[in-house]
């Protein structure tokens, strides 16, 4: 089992930045990857980004060039630096750890952290 705890969400104006963190504990060595998804009310969760154990990163087209995913293996923590935020980035953000399904990393989920971007 892997436990994930997100932090760093909040409210920001359009064009601003936020940095999300996700601390992992438990059997983290069993995870191939870590990642982020986001969800707005009434819609499905959508993949945002994935980072592999060796630091290879993958991004959804909607965030490429604006968001940066990274990880600190020594701290079992991953980060999502979000720049040039837009109102359409408003969502609940969930961190994940586990196995690959295509470019997505799924298996274990955090409880979510809200990001709100105002115009």
């Amino acid at each position: 089992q892997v436990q994930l705890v997100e932090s760093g969400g909040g409210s920001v104006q359009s064009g601003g930045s936020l940095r999300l963190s996700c601390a992992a504990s438990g059997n983290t060595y069993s995870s191939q990857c870590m990642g982020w998804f986001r969800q707005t009310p009434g819609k499905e969760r959508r993949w945002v980004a994935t980072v592999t154990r060796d630091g290879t990163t993958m991004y959804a087209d909607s965030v490429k060039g604006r968001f940066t995913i990274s990880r600190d293996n020594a701290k079992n923590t991953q980060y999502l630096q979000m720049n040039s935020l837009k109102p359409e980035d408003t969502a609940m953000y969930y961190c994940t750890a586990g196995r690959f399904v295509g470019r997505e990393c799924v298996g274990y989920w955090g409880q979510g952290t809200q990001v709100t971007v105002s115009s």
Side-chain angles (χ1 to χ4, degrees):
Q1 291 289 325
V2 175
Q3 294 78 44
L4 302 169
V5 179
E6 302 101 332
S7 60
S11 297
V12 65
Q13 289 192 329
S14 182
S17 298
L18 283 174
R19 188 194 196 203
L20 306 183
S21 299
C22 176
S25 60
N27 294 333
T28 57
Y29 64 87
S30 65
S31 295
Q32 296 175 323
C33 54
M34 300 185 80
W36 294 90
F37 283 70
R38 63 187 182 185
Q39 185 176 26
T40 53
K43 295 189 176 181
E44 294 184 351
R45 288 184 187 181
R46 302 197 69 171
W47 173 69
V48 175
T50 296
V51 60
T52 67
R53 280 179 177 168
D54 65 1
T56 301
T57 58
M58 292 164 274
Y59 298 95
D61 288 344
S62 59
V63 306
K64 197 173 296 182
R66 300 187 298 120
F67 290 12
T68 302
I69 188 172
S70 62
R71 63 188 292 170
D72 184 332
N73 290 332
K75 296 182 178 180
N76 286 328
T77 300
Q78 66 161 324
Y79 307 96
L80 187 67
Q81 178 66 43
M82 305 184 293
N83 298 330
S84 302
L85 283 162
K86 305 174 182 180
E88 50 264 44
D89 294 318
T90 295
M92 185 73 78
Y93 283 71
Y94 297 89
C95 73
T96 66
R99 67 190 188 283
F100 290 107
V101 176
R103 297 179 299 170
E104 302 176 2
C105 186
V106 298
Y108 301 99
W109 295 81
Q111 82 287 353
T113 186
Q114 178 68 37
V115 171
T116 302
V117 184
S118 58
S119 56

